[in-house]
Amino acid sequence: MAGFEVSEAALRARRGAKWHHHPADVMPAWVADMDFAVAEPVQEAIARIVDQGDYGYPARSGDETLTAAFVARMQDRFGWTVDPDLVQPVTECVQCMYGTALAFSEPGEGIVLQTPIYPPFLGTIEKTGRRLVENRLKDDGTRYVLDVDGLRAAVDDTTRILMVCNPHNPTGRVFSRDELMALGNLAVERDLVILCDEIHADLLYPGSTHIPMATLSPAIAARTITITSATKSFNIAGLRAAVMHFGSADLRARYRARVPDSLMGQIGITGTDATVAAWRHAQPWLDEVMEQLQSNRDYVAQFIAEEIPGIHHYKPEGTYLSWLDCRALDLPESPYKFFLETAKVGLNDGAMFGEAGKTCVRLNFATSETVLREVLSRMASAVQRVHAGKA
Ligand SMILES: Cc1ncc(COP(=O)(O)O)c(C=O)c1O
């Protein structure tokens, strides 16, 4: 058992959503939290605040700020030189999706998404009364790819924003430079603002490279808002801390004219200090976690190929999420409901990721080998039982 693994009993004793959303007989493999203990520097950063009872309005300067840690991290990991003046710490990424919709479009105007997609993108469009311009990813027989012709055809005169998720949740695709250039160039051509969610950028497997959208060209950068955080890769989602980066001062001014800073709120000290500690001092922890995730990712692929071959699945290039298309299983109900009720496994319902996902479920494999084996074997036996019943 790796040093960062947490026992099932300890996970159940916590008050997190992942292990408390379902009845106790269900094994959870849904929301994107990891079943791993956080890195020591992160734990120490929080302990320092608690030990000192230091809960007043904060003063953080120099290397202690979230902005400085973000600038250093982007340079170090991705060779991306960031102007600190264009960085805004925020409490969460999802908030920025809403802010961007409100700032750069009017009700009824279009926002283009590559579906299936992380549900809050769809929620942003629905709840702000904008219009979904759908561009489904294409299955090219080896992976899901950007449909460039479909994108060109989908974007119309009242489309204002292109929202991108890269690495892509739920498919785990890490878009290539060509795919990103196609997205970026179209945005320039049609005058779209780009919101690029890069929250999974640290969670890449060998063979893939993360290219920040804002590094593609000055013209693309000038219209790109990048959102990211340490919360996925360092397992601190409950601490609520993220970063919004504007690719130009003009973009920032236009955003702030519609969404004042005070409305975005101020980030708390636990989120700030934990993120700074994670980005500056916890990479060795993440390197070790990535080895475990890669082994889990490969195990999921092998298990499915051998035991539930009716599930269509590509290994993710990034993220700790497997996107499982169950249409060939011919189940009596939605795959989400079937696995929840018959297998007692709590996955994410693909239907929440848009029409393109309704035959799918999303499985979170950031857990111990023991839990992962249990999850997969419950799924395989449920499928065998239902197929035996039909024979
Ligand atoms: C693509 C993506 N964006 C954003 C989030 C959530 O970010 P936040 O909690 O900062 O709103 C997640 C969480 O899983 C995610 O997968």
Side-chain angles (χ1 to χ4, degrees):
M1 180 157 137
F4 45 75
E5 281 184 17
V6 179
S7 71
E8 193 180 321
L11 289 165
R12 289 193 188 276
R14 291 176 174 179
R15 291 187 288 170
K18 189 174 179 192
W19 285 84
H20 287 281
H21 180 71
H22 302 99
D25 62 344
V26 170
M27 291 301 277
W30 63 297
V31 69
D33 275 325
M34 300 196 250
D35 290 341
F36 301 147
V38 298
E40 205 45 49
V42 171
Q43 193 65 13
E44 282 165 12
I46 302 294
R48 190 177 314 114
I49 294 172
V50 175
D51 289 347
Q52 297 178 340
D54 185 12
Y55 308 131
Y57 287 113
R60 301 282 187 280
S61 59
D63 284 357
E64 297 169 330
T65 66
L66 188 55
T67 295
F70 172 73
V71 169
R73 179 90 182 166
M74 294 306 109
Q75 188 70 59
D76 183 43
R77 301 290 293 173
F78 310 121
W80 176 21
T81 306
V82 170
D83 174 356
D85 282 347
L86 297 177
V87 177
Q88 181 169 342
V90 289
T91 49
E92 55 171 63
C93 291
V94 169
Q95 175 186 38
C96 307
M97 297 174 191
Y98 280 78
T100 301
L102 294 173
F104 298 105
S105 65
E106 299 297 332
E109 291 184 335
I111 298 179
V112 60
L113 294 177
Q114 288 70 51
T115 60
I117 189 86
Y118 175 61
F121 284 101
L122 297 163
T124 299
I125 294 175
E126 195 189 316
K127 290 183 190 151
T128 59
R130 271 56 177 174
R131 184 170 46 84
L132 170 64
V133 178
E134 191 176 5
N135 176 227
R136 291 191 186 193
L137 292 178
K138 257 188 348 195
D139 184 344
D140 77 350
T142 62
R143 58 188 186 166
Y144 297 100
V145 294
L146 178 72
D147 178 358
V148 182
D149 295 335
L151 177 69
R152 289 199 155 272
V155 172
D156 59 20
D157 287 349
T158 60
T159 303
R160 302 281 175 253
I161 302 169
L162 167 69
M163 290 193 178
V164 181
C165 185
N166 181 46
H168 186 261
N169 174 359
T171 63
R173 266 310 309 288
V174 176
F175 292 123
S176 67
R177 183 174 291 276
D178 285 351
E179 287 171 304
L180 293 170
M181 283 305 282
L183 288 162
N185 286 337
L186 189 80
V188 172
E189 201 183 292
R190 306 281 179 92
D191 195 20
L192 309 177
V193 166
I194 303 171
L195 176 92
C196 196
D197 181 337
E198 303 187 358
I199 198 170
H200 293 279
D202 275 332
L203 299 163
L204 263 57
Y205 301 105
S208 295
T209 306
H210 174 70
I211 305 170
M213 180 68 91
T215 61
L216 290 179
S217 78
I220 293 171
R223 60 182 59 247
T224 298
I225 293 172
T226 305
I227 54 178
T228 193
S229 78
T231 59
K232 295 294 111 185
S233 28
F234 292 94
N235 204 24
I236 50 175
L239 298 180
R240 317 309 297 139
V243 165
M244 188 173 197
H245 171 268
F246 296 93
S248 61
D250 174 58
L251 198 63
R252 186 186 54 192
R254 286 168 63 200
Y255 185 89
R256 289 185 175 168
R258 300 286 292 267
V259 186
D261 277 357
S262 296
L263 195 58
M264 297 290 286
Q266 267 184 24
I267 176 177
I269 47 173
T270 50
T272 303
D273 289 2
T275 301
V276 171
W279 277 343
R280 289 197 182 276
H281 305 298
Q283 189 58 40
W285 175 92
L286 183 55
D287 290 341
E288 212 187 312
V289 163
M290 286 310 298
E291 282 179 28
Q292 168 88 44
L293 292 179
Q294 189 178 345
S295 149
N296 286 4
R297 173 195 76 152
D298 295 348
Y299 179 69
V300 171
Q302 189 193 337
F303 186 96
I304 284 178
E306 286 170 7
E307 305 293 334
I308 331 177
I311 291 182
H312 179 57
H313 168 247
Y314 296 124
K315 278 187 194 178
E317 297 164 342
T319 80
Y320 44 76
L321 309 165
S322 283
W323 185 239
L324 311 177
D325 192 334
C326 303
R327 78 187 65 186
L329 289 180
D330 194 23
L331 297 171
E333 57 205 331
S334 87
Y336 166 73
K337 199 157 177 274
F338 172 79
F339 287 119
L340 181 61
E341 291 174 2
T342 308
K344 301 288 178 199
V345 171
L347 302 163
N348 281 96
D349 184 356
M352 305 302 290
F353 295 72
E355 191 58 27
K358 69 181 198 300
T359 57
C360 302
V361 283
R362 194 192 72 174
L363 181 153
N364 172 350
F365 56 78
T367 191
S368 65
E369 282 170 28
T370 320
V371 169
L372 187 59
R373 256 200 303 273
E374 176 69 18
V375 161
L376 289 168
S377 61
R378 285 185 185 199
M379 290 172 67
S381 342
V383 170
Q384 277 153 17
R385 283 200 305 278
V386 79
H387 286 170
K390 277 185 190 160

